[in-house]
Amino acid sequence: MTLHLRHTFLARCMSSSTSSKVPLLWQTKIDSDTSNSTLQLLSWGRGSSGQLGGGIEEIRAYPTPVASFHLPSNYRLSPTSGLLREPSADSSAFEKLSLSEIGISCGFFHSCLLINGNIWMWGKGDGGRLGFGHENPAFSPTLNPNLDSVRSTALGGLHSVALTSLGDVYTWGYGGFGALGHSIYTRELLPRMVNKAWSGKICQIATSGAHTAAVSEFGDLYTWGRDEGDGRLGLGPGRGPNEGGGLSIPSKVKELSVPVAAVSCGGFFTTALTKEGQLWNWGANSNYELGRGNKVGGWKPQAVPSLQDTRIIQIACGGYHSLALTDEGKVLSWGHGGHGQLGHSSIENQKVPLLIEALAEENVVYVACEGSTSAAITDKGKLYMWGNSRDCQLGVPGLLEVQHLPVEVKFPVEYDGLGPHHVLSVAIGASHAMCLVLRSPSQTTEER
């Protein structure tokens, strides 16, 4: 049966949910014979810039609700950087099926929520990274009226990136090192479309502190932003207009000899996945972040030798380390381990991808990392985190600053008539983290 959806939302002023004390931010009204699902957004860590969304400067030692949402039971999560998607998850299928879509992302000190093409931004506003036309911070989720039809977002250190349902890329914020791709190195206070340097549509975006990447529907990869000293853009010499170690115009990574389907940006390196799940990377390697067994880096993309016979379905890159999720639900990690972010029994650097034994008995369906913090979600909706706990960003009170083994994040018991917390997605910033949870009893999302 075709659903006749009527969308209503509360943007700046959030009403009280009828089923809990958590403010209701979005409600999709559906036919009486169609079931709905209740989701919640929770945040934790250091929120001195408002990135927790609670309305004040605060530190949250454990996950605390920010907002709730009522969506049709056939909702799905928006596309995520580094994650291979099934063919049915493309934008044309999304529009044809009229599915509701929701997603989250974290920058270093700002946050974003995406629901049905609309984005809410909050946190630090310096450089214009919130896209409101000014540089003021926002301490609560605030609807950005300057952009719609958004399908995914990726937040960097001082800038933000959005991908629309038409396959267009928009960027805003501080443009140092050319991170915005607008042929400028200054700030943009409002979302601005990146001039197309590619054929067809863009199907995935990724960014980090100062460089950005985009994958086209034809499997081509384009990069722009900071490239100084390590070759993280993968473009090599003669790459085009350059200023201050950056490239302000998107350019094709021509040395990639295979089509790619997903990309993730680390602090000073970049990783791409083919649709068959083969992993390629390039850039800085002084901490073994390329997983090649040595410290030889460089701008030329290469396949990771030890993963030639392993199908990877998601890659997540932190500042100096990486996580890879296999098609069997296992998590591999490598690179810098000084804060415990690799999840192994020691904090030594790891030269090649190594299985995280503490998660070996779990079926992991999603991974995330940023800086020196890592996370994994299991098929049962459990959330595990490990790494740097200095700012309470692991969501477990009482941990030492270095947490080298995964620890399960527990959620406060709420007597609100809803089901248990089934974690759907997690995003990590420099000192905070957020997750989406399903609270409707005995229901799970259709797909990731």
Side-chain angles (χ1 to χ4, degrees), residues 140-163:
S140 299
T142 305
L143 179 68
N144 190 318
N146 303 307
L147 197 61
D148 57 20
S149 301
V150 178
R151 286 219 65 212
S152 68
T153 58
L155 307 188
L158 296 167
H159 72 292
S160 305
V161 188
L163 175 64

Side-chain angles (χ1 to χ4, degrees), residues 264-416:
S264 180
C265 296
F268 303 94
F269 64 102
T270 306
T271 300
L273 282 178
T274 69
K275 65 179 181 180
E276 293 80 19
Q278 186 180 46
L279 191 152
W280 292 65
N281 56 23
W282 57 93
N285 195 28
S286 59
N287 297 283
Y288 305 106
E289 45 264 75
L290 300 185
R292 300 173 183 171
N294 56 45
K295 292 187 176 182
V296 180
W299 66 270
K300 286 192 175 183
Q302 296 181 31
V304 178
S306 64
L307 296 178
Q308 295 279 4
D309 298 323
T310 303
R311 184 171 187 266
I312 305 300
I313 61 172
Q314 187 194 357
I315 179 69
C317 299
Y320 304 93
H321 77 293
S322 296
L323 303 178
L325 176 63
T326 75
D327 59 352
E328 296 180 342
K330 306 306 175 186
V331 183
L332 308 169
S333 67
W334 63 94
H336 189 260
H339 289 91
Q341 61 265 47
L342 300 184
H344 303 313
S345 57
S346 76
I347 58 173
E348 294 182 358
N349 294 353
Q350 178 59 39
K351 298 180 180 180
V352 296
L354 180 66
L355 176 70
I356 299 181
E357 293 288 351
L359 296 173
E361 300 302 317
E362 300 285 351
N363 182 17
V364 175
V365 295
Y366 190 80
V367 293
C369 61
E370 179 57 69
S372 53
T373 302
S374 304
I377 299 173
T378 74
D379 62 339
K380 298 185 183 301
K382 294 182 179 181
L383 173 62
Y384 290 88
M385 298 194 71
W386 61 98
N388 189 351
S389 184
R390 179 181 57 193
D391 293 313
C392 303
Q393 62 263 54
L394 300 189
V396 180
L399 295 178
L400 297 176
E401 184 173 318
V402 174
Q403 175 62 38
H404 65 275
L405 290 176
V407 58
E408 184 180 353
V409 179
K410 300 292 186 179
F411 296 87
V413 176
E414 297 180 25
Y415 300 98
D416 51 14

Side-chain angles (χ1 to χ4, degrees), residues 156-175:
L158 296 167
H159 72 292
S160 305
V161 188
L163 175 64
T164 71
S165 59
L166 295 177
D168 295 325
V169 177
Y170 286 77
T171 62
W172 60 96
Y174 178 62

Side-chain angles (χ1 to χ4, degrees), residues 13 23 30 39 47 52 55 71-72 87-88 124 127 145 164 166 193 262 294 313 336 368 400 404:
C13 299
I30 59 179
L39 280 69
L52 297 185
L71 301 177
S88 61
K124 200 167 188 176
T164 71
L166 295 177
M193 189 171 75
N294 56 45
I313 61 172
H336 189 260
L400 297 176
H404 65 275

